[in-house]
Amino acid sequence: MGIDRRKFIKASGLAALGLVSAAPVRLFGQHDSNMVDTTTPASPPSDGKPLVGNRWAMIVDLKKCLHEEGCTDCVAACHLTHNVPKFDNPKDEIKWIWKEGFHGAFHELGHKHLEEHILHSHVPVMCNHCDSPPCVKVCPTQATWKREQDGIVMMDWHRCIGCRYCMAACPYGSRSFNWRDPRPHIDKIDPNFPTRERGVVEKCTFCDERLAVGKLPSCVEACKAKALVFGDLEDAESEVRALLAEHYTIRRKPGLGTNPEIYYIV
Amino acid sequence: MIEKALYGDKKYWGWLILLGAVIGVGTFFYLRQFSEGLGITGLSRDVTWGFYIAQFTFLVGVAASAVMVVLPYYLHNYKAFGKITILGEFLAIGSVTMCMLFIFVDMGQPFRILNVFLHPSPSSPMFWDTIALSGYLGINALVAAVTLSAERKAVAPPKWIKPIIILSIPWAVSIHTVTAFLYAGLVARPFWMTAVLAPRFLASAFAAGPALLILLCLLLKKLTKFDVGKEPIEKLAVITTYAMCINVFLVLMELFTGLYSDIPEHVSHFQYMFMGIGEHTFLMPWMWASIILAVFSLVMLLVPKLRRNHTVLAVASVAVFMSLWIDKGMGLIITGFVPNPMGAVVEYSPTMPEVMITLGVYAVGALLVTVLYKIALGVRRQLLDH
Ligand code: SF4
Ligand code: SF4
């Protein structure tokens, strides 16, 4: 059954691709200008057409992010949209995006004489949608897989057997497990997004459900500092490419060869 | 043949009832875990595998160690092991069954476990481990049943079983190697990413398994009139000694590589294990106990005079078994997760329900081994009576 559903999803993705290529919409690049204005509001014209990319990626501009000290708007927005439960006991915690201490996020990069404000900062982290994701390799049931058309590392909550091998394999601690029934712990259930059940793994999915209806990921939309930028790496005109060309960026644990697709401007 | 398990004295039935009670308690807690979720365990976002998976890993070794009696007997025609090969094979059956139960109780969605076969994923070591384990269970069950029923009829086992017995030898090595591969290839866990993990697993298994078999043989001699004789026990003791030496040697190799290179991500795990990090010292006393037991057992085993004394040997075997159980059943899996990939130390210790479920699974294994041994000894006794 799962295979059928996946085939269906794939087929509808391709259909969408066909639709869009017939009427191309450029959402992130501005063709007519070489200068990319990174301060333009990131929310695209939400005309309901799916956002299509060949390799989605996210850029986190830490200069802007760290300016908003203590802000957790991205976390709140993501967790609200995706019915992520809140548990009092840290042991049961589930998180899709969160703020990690600089040392935790960039384990091998920091040193103790780093600028104070960086050393003690907290940077947003989430699933990196790795290009060679170890979590996908180890999953014994293909409940987690990399979407061919755009590189998003997806999860099928109905197929996951809860073995947590993916959690042992992810070098970024990006996955959470439903140790208990999550539903009683969701503040306000959004009926537009499925709630999960006990015993399965979950994580950030780059808001694939929003992309499908032409919306940007909710964290990107919620960031008042415009520190999060989402876009297609294979589109040479995209804002993410422009930012990568302009700034020095780092990634988490690059030496492992997982090729994370979240880039940080420092 | 099976009816042999139905006749026994008071002690036999008392033991079975005791095991049944432990299984009952374990089942009660499992049902609680089933309805509340794995939240009742000590596991967390940071330490995602714990006691269950550690027991599984340890018992795969006990299962694999059957090869230590099967190989000399069938490949080298070492006759002295004639009486104990069946005991080794039955022990393997009990252990593999426990392994499977431990995997089962660790699943978040146990009823979906068939997905491993419905949507096979050859890139996952877990897929191969499932195949290796079920295959090994099948092979051992078949071999034991066929050889034992031939023995009962006092005829030679059929010829076709021989290649299957030979196959069981590399298969036993493979189950522990594939289990090591579950861990050894993970970029996220430097503590497990070592080429000696599989050899180390095998060495420790070939010490722990025979040590347990020695204890079972000595126990059988005491409780029943079944005496395997001096020679096989002494041979098993020699095997345990060599395997334990190799195991300790491999552990020292790991310590050197980890500590001399001084790469923080490697050292921190060893530090957690043996010294604790900050106030997080849950494993420390256990690991030191394991070291002390290892050294203590080696002293007794390496001196032939001591080793030949069965009381000393029994003590040494308990020490070997406990030392290796702590090393794998407590240390290995937990330490892989502490510190976590972000360098934070989140500790884990098993909760009461977790321990009870674990005891329940061990009781299932003990029950299975008891009943199987009872059948095997029944067949032997019948032969003697005639
Ligand atoms: S960050 Fe972790 S969960 Fe996300 S794709 Fe990479 S390995 Fe998988
Ligand atoms: S927990 Fe679920 S998603 Fe993760 S490896 Fe196991 S089956 Fe796959």
Side-chain angles (χ1 to χ4, degrees):
Chain A
M1 220 203 49
I3 284 204
D4 292 343
R5 184 179 42 214
R6 190 162 313 161
K7 271 200 186 127
F8 172 77
I9 295 173
K10 218 179 212 172
S12 41
L14 284 177
L17 206 86
L19 259 177
V20 174
S21 51
V25 271
R26 292 266 180 200
L27 292 156
F28 305 105
Q30 287 145 323
H31 304 274
D32 48 351
S33 147
N34 304 333
M35 276 275 298
V36 175
D37 178 7
T38 54
T39 58
T40 43
S43 68
S46 185
D47 52 7
K49 284 212 185 75
L51 299 190
V52 207
N54 291 317
R55 200 8 169 147
W56 293 123
M58 177 109 71
I59 296 192
V60 181
D61 189 337
L62 285 182
K63 285 186 203 132
K64 289 181 182 168
C65 177
L66 300 185
H67 202 69
E68 301 287 333
E69 218 179 304
C71 162
T72 50
D73 288 357
C74 54
V75 180
C78 168
H79 287 186
L80 193 71
T81 348
H82 298 113
N83 293 322
V84 175
K86 274 192 195 67
F87 286 96
D88 299 329
N89 192 343
K91 192 175 95 48
D92 298 324
E93 195 180 24
I94 291 183
K95 43 191 183 184
W96 286 26
I97 173 172
W98 72 100
K99 285 198 144 186
E100 181 74 41
F102 186 87
H103 178 71
F106 299 101
H107 212 44
E108 53 287 279
L109 288 182
H111 56 81
K112 62 178 187 225
H113 303 296
L114 216 60
E115 283 171 78
E116 276 292 309
H117 78 281
I118 293 186
L119 199 60
H120 299 295
S121 63
H122 287 83
V123 305
V125 294
M126 66 204 101
C127 168
N128 290 285
H129 296 276
C130 305
D131 240 8
S132 331
C135 56
V136 168
K137 190 157 72 178
V138 301
C139 177
T141 63
Q142 301 170 28
T144 188
W145 78 99
K146 197 176 116 187
R147 206 153 72 167
E148 268 160 46
Q149 73 262 32
D150 58 9
I152 296 184
V153 174
M154 301 279 289
M155 274 217 61
D156 185 338
W157 294 307
H158 300 283
R159 189 187 280 188
C160 172
I161 57 176
C163 66
R164 312 185 297 287
Y165 200 0
C166 52
M167 299 177 81
C170 172
Y172 309 97
S174 300
R175 293 179 163 245
S176 303
F177 181 71
N178 286 280
W179 300 102
R180 296 173 185 280
D181 184 7
R183 284 161 195 152
H185 299 270
I186 305 172
D187 288 344
K188 217 181 104 233
I189 293 187
D190 182 344
N192 296 317
F193 196 80
T195 53
R196 274 74 63 197
E197 59 187 320
R198 191 181 56 220
V200 299
V201 164
E202 59 179 82
K203 69 167 192 78
C204 148
T205 62
F206 260 175
C207 286
D208 65 295
E209 83 288 355
R210 288 172 58 95
L211 299 178
V213 295
K215 291 187 193 159
L216 281 171
S218 48
C219 56
V220 175
E221 201 177 88
C223 180
K224 54 179 178 273
K226 304 273 173 281
L228 304 181
V229 182
F230 184 78
D232 183 6
L233 275 188
E234 289 195 6
D235 175 2
E237 311 285 324
S238 65
E239 189 179 351
V240 283
R241 282 287 291 276
L243 285 171
L244 286 177
E246 257 171 56
H247 299 272
Y248 178 67
T249 44
I250 56 175
R251 295 192 286 178
R252 298 175 69 197
K253 304 197 176 183
L256 299 182
T258 55
N259 278 318
E261 295 295 14
I262 310 273
Y263 299 77
Y264 294 85
I265 297 176
V266 273
Chain B
M1 226 151 61
I2 306 202
E3 75 288 345
K4 297 257 178 325
L6 296 178
Y7 303 99
D9 54 8
K10 271 209 187 107
K11 258 191 278 171
Y12 173 71
W13 285 108
W15 171 238
L16 290 194
I17 289 168
L18 178 74
L19 290 177
V22 179
I23 295 171
V25 175
T27 312
F28 169 79
F29 280 101
Y30 180 71
L31 290 176
R32 231 189 94 196
Q33 176 183 301
F34 187 76
S35 67
E36 276 177 47
L38 283 156
I40 68 167
T41 67
L43 296 163
S44 66
R45 218 180 163 282
D46 298 287
V47 184
T48 54
W49 284 341
F51 216 43
Y52 299 149
I53 294 297
Q55 303 316 308
F56 149 77
T57 311
F58 176 72
L59 289 168
V60 172
V62 176
S65 72
V67 75
M68 283 288 120
V69 289
V70 171
L71 191 146
Y73 181 62
Y74 286 105
L75 225 51
H76 300 294
N77 210 6
Y78 180 64
K79 288 277 187 292
F81 275 177
K83 276 185 166 173
I84 57 168
T85 36
I86 191 80
L87 301 185
E89 282 157 358
F90 278 158
L91 183 58
I93 292 175
S95 310
V96 178
T97 309
M98 286 189 266
C99 288
M100 291 179 159
L101 283 172
F102 275 118
I103 294 281
F104 184 80
V105 299
D106 190 65
M107 289 292 137
Q109 288 286 338
F111 287 141
R112 291 187 190 158
I113 210 156
L114 276 182
N115 278 357
V116 176
F117 298 105
L118 295 176
H119 312 285
S121 167
S123 67
S124 171
M126 201 174 276
F127 167 71
W128 294 106
D129 210 25
T130 320
I131 292 184
L133 282 179
S134 27
Y136 191 65
L137 182 60
I139 289 179
N140 271 288
L142 185 71
V143 169
V146 169
T147 51
L148 195 63
S149 75
E151 190 175 324
R152 192 172 67 136
K153 295 183 203 115
V155 295
K159 275 220 168 61
W160 59 265
I161 197 74
K162 189 82 195 253
I164 297 178
I165 294 173
I166 305 294
L167 176 68
S168 81
I169 295 169
W171 203 291
V173 176
S174 87
I175 59 168
H176 220 17
T177 307
V178 178
T179 304
F181 287 175
L182 275 181
Y183 311 106
L186 299 181
V187 289
R189 313 283 163 189
F191 182 69
W192 296 332
M193 216 204 293
T194 151
V196 300
L197 199 66
R200 213 184 115 190
F201 272 22
L202 286 168
S204 66
F206 294 161
L212 181 59
L213 207 51
I214 293 174
L215 290 170
L216 290 175
C217 288
L218 294 176
L219 208 65
L220 284 182
K221 192 173 153 188
K222 242 191 154 160
L223 296 178
T224 70
K225 283 182 205 84
F226 183 74
D227 186 1
V228 298
K230 247 182 139 98
E231 195 185 336
I233 293 203
E234 272 162 25
K235 263 292 170 306
L236 282 177
V238 172
I239 291 173
T240 307
T241 312
Y242 279 121
M244 192 61 184
C245 288
I246 298 173
N247 176 60
V248 170
F249 176 72
L250 290 176
V251 171
L252 293 174
M253 297 297 98
E254 294 242 47
L255 282 173
F256 173 80
T257 319
L259 299 183
Y260 189 80
S261 67
D262 212 12
I263 302 170
E265 290 203 337
H266 290 255
V267 177
S268 60
H269 294 285
F270 289 107
Q271 188 190 346
Y272 173 65
M273 233 178 170
F274 295 115
M275 322 288 277
I277 297 179
E279 74 271 31
H280 305 289
T281 52
F282 170 69
L283 274 185
M284 188 178 75
W286 288 97
M287 296 319 294
W288 284 106
S290 172
I291 293 182
I292 292 167
L293 285 167
V295 173
F296 172 70
S297 69
L298 271 185
V299 172
M300 283 184 284
L301 288 172
L302 281 171
V303 182
K305 229 195 194 144
L306 289 176
R307 188 174 64 219
R308 279 193 209 112
N309 176 327
H310 282 187
T311 319
V312 178
L313 181 62
V315 175
S317 300
V318 171
V320 165
F321 191 81
M322 285 312 297
S323 166
L324 296 174
W325 178 80
I326 294 173
D327 187 40
K328 260 192 193 160
M330 299 283 298
L332 181 94
I333 302 299
I334 301 175
T335 310
F337 290 99
V338 189
N340 75 6
M342 269 82 73
V345 181
V346 179
E347 271 200 305
Y348 156 88
S349 54
T351 57
M352 207 265 291
E354 222 172 340
V355 173
M356 288 304 170
I357 293 172
T358 302
L359 285 178
V361 175
Y362 270 104
V364 171
L367 186 89
L368 202 60
V369 172
T370 308
V371 168
L372 290 174
Y373 275 18
K374 177 86 182 146
I375 294 173
L377 299 195
V379 169
R380 296 265 155 94
R381 185 156 311 146
Q382 191 183 29
L383 287 178
L384 291 181
D385 291 349
H386 285 288

